[in-house]
Amino acid sequence: MNDYRAMLATALAEARAGLAEGGIPIGAALYGPDGNLLGRSHNRRVQDGDPSMHAETAAFRAAGRQRSYRGTTMVTTLSPCWYCSGLVRQFGISRVVIGEAETYAGGQDWLARHGVEIVLLDDAECVALMRDFVQDHPDVWNEDIGVD
């Protein structure tokens, strides 16, 4: 069985890096079917001025082109939004490991209904990172999730 907590540690390190850069503390990593790390990154919307640079998208891009995404695992500190959920479905990523869904539930139920395995870890550090960020920067958070 995969060590999902160790995988989440990679995404958490990315989330902390994003926060240190003045961005949104969401991190992600894409792992191959064999458990090898393919790509990792964090939300870069603020840093890059690019609304498409969500953590999952950035990690996916960092992984580079793969022949197939069957059997891969996307690990993210926060439940993926609809945009990133679409990426998971579009490319057939098999599993999403989620640090927390308390702050934001995203598309995890939709993904599960469409055959994507969802592993929710309810990680306290992930919750604290996002809760504090949302409290301190509600305008940036609302922009990130598309709330007017």
Side-chain angles (χ1 to χ4, degrees), residues 81-141:
C81 69
W82 291 105
Y83 170 67
C84 295
S85 294
L87 179 144
V88 167
R89 285 275 293 133
Q90 173 71 29
F91 291 96
I93 294 170
S94 299
R95 179 181 309 103
V96 178
V97 175
I98 301 167
E100 71 107 342
E102 182 179 316
T103 305
Y104 180 75
Q108 68 189 39
D109 292 339
W110 177 78
L111 286 169
R113 284 193 306 273
H114 288 88
V116 177
E117 180 185 352
I118 300 296
V119 178
L120 180 57
L121 298 179
D122 291 320
D123 184 82
E125 184 177 356
C126 291
V127 172
L129 269 172
M130 283 310 303
R131 184 181 51 232
D132 293 348
F133 184 83
V134 171
Q135 181 179 341
D136 294 343
H137 307 283
D139 54 332
V140 176
W141 171 242

Side-chain angles (χ1 to χ4, degrees), residues 8 11-12 15 25-28 75-79 97-101 126 130:
L8 181 61
L12 261 167
I26 303 170
V75 182
T76 180
T77 56
L78 182 66
S79 182
V97 175
I98 301 167
E100 71 107 342
C126 291
M130 283 310 303

